[in-house]
Amino acid sequence: MTPALLELDEVSLSRGGRVVLDRVTLRVQAGQVTAIVGPSGAGKSSLLRCAVGLDRLDAGRVRVDGHDALELDPRVLRRRVALVAQHPVMLPGTVADNLAYALPAGAVDGEAARRSLERAGLDVSFASRVAGELSGGERARVAVARALTRDPVALLLDEPTAALDPARAAGVEALMRELAGLGLAVLVASHDVAIVRRSADAAVLLEAGRVTASGTAADVLDAWAGRPA
Amino acid sequence: MSQAAVGQVVVSVALVLAAIALSWRARIGLERELAVVSIRAIVQLTAVGAVVTLVFQHVGLAAAFVLVMLGVAAWTSGRRIRAIPHGPLLAGAAIGLPALLALGLLLAAQAFPATPRGIVPVAGILIGGAMAAASLTGRRLLEELHDRLDEIETRLLLGASAREALATPLRRAVTTALVPALDQTRIVGLVTLPGTFVGLVLGGASPATAARIQLTVLLSLLFVELTASLLLAHLVSRVVIVAGERIEVPQAQARYGA
Ligand SMILES: Nc1ncnc2c1ncn2[C@@H]1O[C@H](COP(=O)(O)OP(=O)(O)OP(=O)(O)O)[C@@H](O)[C@H]1O
Ligand SMILES: [Mg+2]
């Protein structure tokens, strides 16, 4: 097995005195779509936040390309491993401002913006729209485009299809496959069993902060379906 | 007692009694509170009057009085940022540094006499202004940190440093805190005649002298309030920025005081 691009090793996290993640181990391979499934509150979003150093781990280790994440500049880490949050927030200004935020001046030219927007399923005309006025589904896609302008090696998507109609959701599904095909590591937390079954190569089942099953998407989803509710 | 003193006592006491009667008549239920705050005001001002008489006679006591004012201001402002450890200390630094610096400059330039009568009122105005700015800054910054944490985290996620991610909330807090100082300066003489001016004119100074002194104080306050606001914002952000370009807002509950 090739070394994983993104690796969580025995990661534990507590928030507000409660254990949210309990010794979670997870490997995400480049060129694959890996899914995190599990009931609401299981810790899926928390796990993604830990992967980009937004929360301080109680224990465990995150590795990117074999390097301990703590030894990387967090700003560089968060561009290489880009997280699209469950409820993406638009920054003040236009969509173009959002795409270019915190990048060196000129890093996102018109061509780069067009490519990211189109990959995320948006017309290039969105670049000049005021970001705060977009619909929920449009925001979700701008957030994906915003992550892509950072040229990440891994893309972490938290419920990327929750705000989308079926056609747009299918677009995100196709995008995940396309990016994996380009060699990115894609990690997606999703409730959408059908999408996970179709698009994920591997999956883990997270329940109450613990990994309770891992393997192929089909096996993990079957294991989850077999649980008493 | 002079004619004026008799008039002051008679009219003000009569008005308070009228207010109490009105409250009773209209069944508002504020009679007791009206009486209590009136008596408190009499006691407090009489006490301060006595202390100020003493303070005005000894430079050492005047300096101590200024320190007490600073302490009260730091404590009051620190309560606004209760969630931040050592809030009163941070507020004391943010208030005291610019206020005492401006006071020192004014005294060095002999803009005011370096006597208790010169120092205490000017120090009071500068410390009071700095306290208002620090309180507003702290309160607004904590609101931003709490209500807009997801926006701040979005900036972090996009690769900004924690300092960069806090730049916008910080600017919002400072601009909000400066609104009263800016407006007070903008309308001076047109809507209100500020305290220093009124006091000086009533005390017998010519309106021209009074206006000059008032202007000195108002313009100094712009510097003092902006600096106090920036300092407090800076000190608070140093507390919430933690290793790994992360923001940690201490204990979500009891975030910003009443
Ligand atoms: N800031 C916080 N303080 C305290 N507890 C928190 C905080 N954030 C999350 N939690 C708790 O951590 C647990 C995991 O939350 P998380 O958001 O990771 O779940 P999730 O699997 O993403 O759920 P969902 O499917 O609903 O998005 C939950 O019990 C949640 O209440
Ligand atoms: Mg979640």
Side-chain angles (χ1 to χ4, degrees):
Chain A
M1 198 152 114
T2 51
L5 184 73
L6 176 67
E7 216 172 326
L8 275 74
D9 195 9
E10 300 267 308
V11 164
S12 295
L13 171 78
S14 54
R15 298 188 76 175
R18 287 195 10 259
V19 174
V20 171
L21 295 175
D22 187 7
R23 284 164 291 156
V24 170
T25 293
L26 170 71
R27 286 179 214 301
V28 184
Q29 305 289 341
Q32 288 198 353
V33 175
T34 304
I36 311 169
V37 297
S40 200
K44 303 183 293 296
S45 298
S46 306
L47 191 156
L48 295 180
R49 288 171 58 90
C50 285
V52 296
L54 223 44
D55 290 320
R56 203 182 65 83
L57 306 184
D58 291 345
R61 204 178 286 279
V62 174
R63 284 197 201 83
V64 178
D65 237 348
H67 300 286
D68 191 324
L70 289 179
E71 284 157 20
L72 299 172
D73 180 337
R75 294 168 297 178
V76 175
L77 167 70
R78 289 170 191 153
R79 287 176 201 162
R80 288 166 55 81
V81 180
L83 168 59
V84 178
Q86 186 163 4
H87 304 286
V89 174
M90 294 292 110
L91 299 178
T94 62
V95 168
D97 294 334
N98 269 267
L99 297 184
Y101 178 77
L103 291 177
V108 184
D109 56 13
E111 174 56 24
R114 188 189 60 78
R115 204 170 48 237
S116 301
L117 285 171
E118 282 182 353
R119 273 193 171 159
L122 290 168
D123 189 82
V124 65
S125 65
F126 270 90
S128 57
R129 296 277 299 273
V130 174
E133 292 171 357
L134 300 178
S135 78
E138 289 164 347
R139 281 167 200 237
R141 282 171 288 153
V142 168
V144 171
R146 196 166 56 179
L148 291 178
T149 55
R150 266 131 257 276
D151 274 330
V153 293
L155 186 64
L156 278 42
L157 301 166
D158 198 351
E159 307 284 356
T161 57
L164 302 183
D165 61 53
R168 313 276 184 228
V172 169
E173 192 181 335
L175 175 67
M176 293 194 295
R177 294 299 336 161
E178 180 196 334
L179 294 173
L182 289 172
L184 271 76
V186 178
L187 178 61
V188 57
S190 183
H191 281 122
D192 192 322
V193 173
I195 286 184
V196 170
R197 197 177 286 279
R198 279 197 303 267
S199 61
D201 302 295
V204 296
L205 173 60
L206 201 62
E207 292 177 291
R210 290 171 182 233
V211 173
T212 52
S214 66
T216 67
D219 289 348
V220 169
L221 288 172
D222 290 344
W224 191 21
R227 290 272 187 290
Chain B
M1 259 203 280
S2 71
Q3 175 61 43
V6 174
Q8 285 158 5
V9 172
V10 169
V11 173
S12 56
V13 170
L15 285 176
V16 167
L17 291 176
I20 290 172
L22 205 60
S23 165
W24 174 74
R25 222 17 253 268
R27 298 166 197 264
I28 303 296
L30 282 177
E31 302 88 280
R32 218 184 99 84
E33 204 167 344
L34 285 166
V36 169
V37 296
S38 302
I39 292 166
R40 266 191 68 145
I42 293 167
V43 172
Q44 278 171 216
L45 276 177
T46 310
V48 167
V51 172
V52 160
T53 312
L54 251 182
V55 161
F56 277 179
Q57 284 159 9
H58 306 279
V59 176
L61 280 182
F65 196 69
V66 170
L67 286 182
V68 170
M69 290 196 288
L70 185 55
V72 172
W75 177 254
T76 308
S77 199
R79 284 175 53 86
R80 298 283 181 203
I81 49 170
R82 247 174 292 182
I84 305 292
H86 312 301
L89 263 181
L90 302 188
I95 294 167
L97 288 175
L100 297 182
L101 174 64
L103 184 68
L105 282 174
L106 289 170
L107 289 175
Q110 299 183 340
F112 300 95
T115 61
R117 269 174 205 279
I119 295 170
V120 171
V122 176
I125 291 171
L126 296 177
I127 290 172
M131 183 197 83
S135 291
L136 284 171
T137 306
R139 190 187 167 104
R140 178 68 198 267
L141 192 53
L142 285 186
E143 280 173 3
E144 288 274 332
L145 284 170
H146 176 249
D147 298 344
R148 300 198 194 222
L149 189 58
D150 50 1
E151 181 184 324
I152 296 168
E153 289 189 341
T154 298
R155 293 175 189 275
L156 294 176
L157 284 175
L158 293 175
S161 68
R163 275 178 67 96
E164 289 164 341
L166 285 182
T168 301
L170 216 122
R171 179 160 34 76
R172 287 187 190 129
V174 173
T175 49
T176 307
L178 262 288
V179 165
L182 289 170
D183 281 355
Q184 161 177 282
T185 311
R186 183 173 293 129
I187 63 161
V188 64
L190 301 178
V191 180
T192 57
L193 295 176
T196 319
F197 182 85
V198 173
L200 287 162
V201 171
L202 289 179
S206 76
T209 307
R212 206 177 59 233
I213 295 181
Q214 178 68 61
L215 253 184
T216 308
V217 168
L218 267 182
L219 299 185
S220 308
L221 268 177
L222 289 178
F223 163 82
V224 168
E225 296 203 22
L226 178 65
T227 312
S229 175
L230 281 172
L231 262 177
L232 189 85
H234 175 74
L235 292 172
V236 170
S237 53
R238 282 188 60 133
V239 172
V240 298
I241 293 177
V242 295
E245 302 294 350
R246 289 185 304 111
I247 308 282
E248 258 182 32
V249 187
Q251 55 175 79
Q253 61 283 46
R255 287 173 301 268
Y256 27 94

